[in-house]
Amino acid sequence: MASRKRSTKRSLDQWLAEYAVSHQNPINKKTHWLCVPTIFVSILGMGMSLAAWLTIVLAMLVAIFYLRLSTPLFIAMGIFMLVSMSAIALLPLGFKAWALIFVVAWIGQFIGHKIEGKKPSFFEDLQFLLIGPAWVANTLMGRKNKPAA
């Protein structure tokens, strides 16, 4: 596998192409479509259980990251975060339940990568932890995620 660039000035298409390299297997893709949003929501749920104000500030910083990449992505992820936080507010789950959901979803992710035969992208660059949700959102918006050459 080619070495990944370390620049933080990558375009959304560059990020998605690099992410797609280790997400080609149909089973791995399906685990990611399910587990990535679940992990994202569980992180918000754990955060809201501990410190709602800090979670909201961090979510705003994440939204700025997405805005720098793409306005449509920012809007899609903003809507997803608002719907997620609304659901979290309505669900009677505490930190332990969100943590359990987080762990189970990560197990699903690693099973998908075992099937794929490639390690998760975030082992190369932690920013890929924010690209996973963008990859799912991009797919749901009808865009193709073509792997980097």
Side-chain angles (χ1 to χ4, degrees):
M1 175 168 29
S3 174
R4 294 195 173 144
K5 299 175 204 165
R6 298 284 179 205
S7 170
T8 57
K9 297 289 183 184
R10 286 179 266 197
S11 71
L12 177 59
D13 288 337
Q14 288 170 320
W15 277 112
L16 294 173
E18 289 183 42
Y19 189 84
V21 168
S22 59
H23 301 88
Q24 293 300 299
N25 181 285
I27 295 171
N28 189 29
K29 285 182 180 182
K30 288 176 183 168
T31 63
H32 279 63
W33 291 331
L34 175 65
C35 294
V36 167
T38 303
I39 290 167
F40 198 96
V41 172
S42 67
I43 290 170
L44 290 174
M46 287 186 291
M48 295 299 279
S49 297
L50 296 174
W53 69 271
L54 180 59
T55 303
I56 292 167
V57 168
L58 293 174
M60 289 170 53
L61 293 174
V62 168
I64 291 168
F65 174 82
Y66 292 132
L67 179 60
R68 290 180 62 215
L69 292 175
S70 160
T71 302
L73 176 64
F74 166 77
I75 293 167
M77 291 304 298
I79 291 168
F80 177 71
M81 285 191 266
L82 289 172
V83 168
S84 297
M85 287 190 182
S86 298
I88 289 163
L90 294 172
L91 292 172
L93 300 178
F95 180 85
K96 289 180 182 179
W98 289 116
L100 178 62
I101 293 167
F102 176 84
V103 169
V104 170
W106 269 110
I107 290 169
Q109 292 281 81
F110 283 109
I111 289 170
H113 277 286
K114 180 72 174 168
I115 292 167
E116 178 86 37
K118 295 183 180 168
K119 63 184 177 180
S121 300
F122 73 86
F123 285 164
E124 297 290 326
D125 187 334
L126 287 177
Q127 292 179 83
F128 279 107
L129 291 170
L130 294 176
I131 297 304
W135 180 81
V136 172
N138 194 60
T139 302
L140 293 174
M141 289 189 293
R143 295 188 63 206
K144 298 287 183 195
N145 296 309
K146 296 176 184 157

